Amino acid sequence: MLVWLTHYLEHYYGGFRVFEYLTFRTILGTLTALLISLLVGPVMIRRLTYYQVGQSIRDDGPKTHFSKAGTPTMGGALILVAVTVSILLWGDLSNRYVWTVILVTLGFGCIGWVDDYRKLIRKNSKGLPARWKYLWQSVIGLGAACFLYYTASSPAETQLVVPFLKHAMIHLGACYILLAYFVIVGTSNAVNLTDGLDGLATLPIVMVAAGLGVFAYLSGNVDFANI
């Protein structure tokens, strides 16, 4: 959003061109998300604690996990707010990949909200049944994969780049939809399976998000992408 504003303002002052640089907007987006987390996080934790919105622990797990019962949950809402606001402010909203990321993230966030609702309000530690969770994840994943495939403007957008082999690119064709689907749904469930006993997967989320953030920056930076 602010990128469009700076494009207009740079006609009056050339210094606004700095907002066109990916590195600068990456730093601002990161700081914006951090600021939102620092400002909203403590308030949200206090409110969740006040209303006794705590994690329900499965009784078939190890006893070491029982001590985590009552830990404020629904932290994903804070992540969604911080990420969405940062992207809308500093992202290039003319890029279809940006909107795909936003909509897929919010869609999966809605699934997580229903899961938490069943755990907290219905007092069901298992939350949303796996079959329904996987069904809606598949609907969102396939929708995103089909959108990216059918809106691709060049063959390179649906090719698979083999790691460590710079010029090895596999033409996937329609198989791109299947691969993209598995990547979207598989990545989502990989974090859940890491610490699925108590549902508190903060550290895995931080590690995975940081790694994906680095890959996204390197692939979007012209200088690094050409190496």
Side-chain angles (χ1 to χ4, degrees):
M1 185 181 301
L2 293 180
V3 176
W4 291 342
L5 178 61
T6 56
H7 283 331
Y8 172 77
L9 294 177
E10 70 182 28
H11 294 292
Y12 302 95
Y13 178 65
F16 284 104
R17 292 191 179 92
V18 70
F19 289 94
E20 296 181 3
Y21 292 99
L22 177 63
T23 302
F24 186 71
R25 287 189 286 113
T26 300
I27 295 174
L28 291 178
T30 303
L31 293 177
T32 300
L34 176 62
L35 181 62
I36 293 174
S37 300
L38 293 177
L39 294 177
V40 179
V43 177
M44 178 178 291
I45 293 174
R46 286 196 298 268
R47 300 300 293 181
L48 292 176
T49 303
Y50 175 79
Y51 288 109
Q52 298 182 346
V53 181
Q55 179 66 26
S56 178
I57 305 300
R58 290 173 55 181
D59 55 10
D60 57 351
K63 294 182 179 179
T64 55
H65 285 257
F66 294 169
S67 61
K68 298 182 180 181
T71 302
T73 185
M74 295 188 71
L78 176 61
I79 296 175
L80 287 176
V81 171
V83 170
T84 303
V85 172
S86 299
I87 293 177
L88 291 177
L89 287 177
W90 303 111
D92 182 6
L93 300 184
S94 64
N95 190 322
R96 62 192 176 92
Y97 290 107
V98 172
W99 283 107
T100 302
V101 169
I102 292 176
L103 295 177
V104 169
T105 302
L106 292 178
F108 277 59
C110 291
I111 298 175
W113 180 86
V114 174
D115 187 38
D116 284 340
Y117 174 82
R118 293 176 62 89
K119 291 179 181 178
L120 302 174
I121 306 302
R122 300 291 183 86
K123 301 301 180 182
N124 182 357
S125 63
K126 295 183 180 180
L128 185 66
R131 62 181 181 276
W132 290 106
K133 185 182 297 184
Y134 185 72
L135 171 63
W136 288 111
Q137 288 176 345
S138 298
V139 171
I140 296 172
L142 282 175
C146 291
F147 171 76
L148 292 176
Y149 176 74
Y150 289 109
T151 59
S153 58
S154 65
E157 296 182 42
T158 58
Q159 291 177 339
L160 176 64
V161 179
V162 181
F164 307 109
L165 299 176
K166 184 176 181 180
H167 300 290
M169 303 181 68
I170 302 176
H171 297 274
L172 296 175
C175 292
Y176 171 86
I177 297 177
L178 182 62
L179 178 62
Y181 161 76
F182 279 116
V183 169
I184 294 172
V185 177
T187 302
S188 171
N189 286 288
V191 177
N192 292 332
L193 294 174
T194 302
D195 198 13
L197 289 174
D198 52 34
L200 303 172
T202 304
L203 184 58
I205 290 176
V206 171
M207 299 297 290
V208 172
L212 293 177
V214 172
F215 293 147
Y217 171 76
L218 294 178
S219 61
N221 188 292
V222 176
D223 296 327
F224 288 113
N226 288 329
I227 296 178

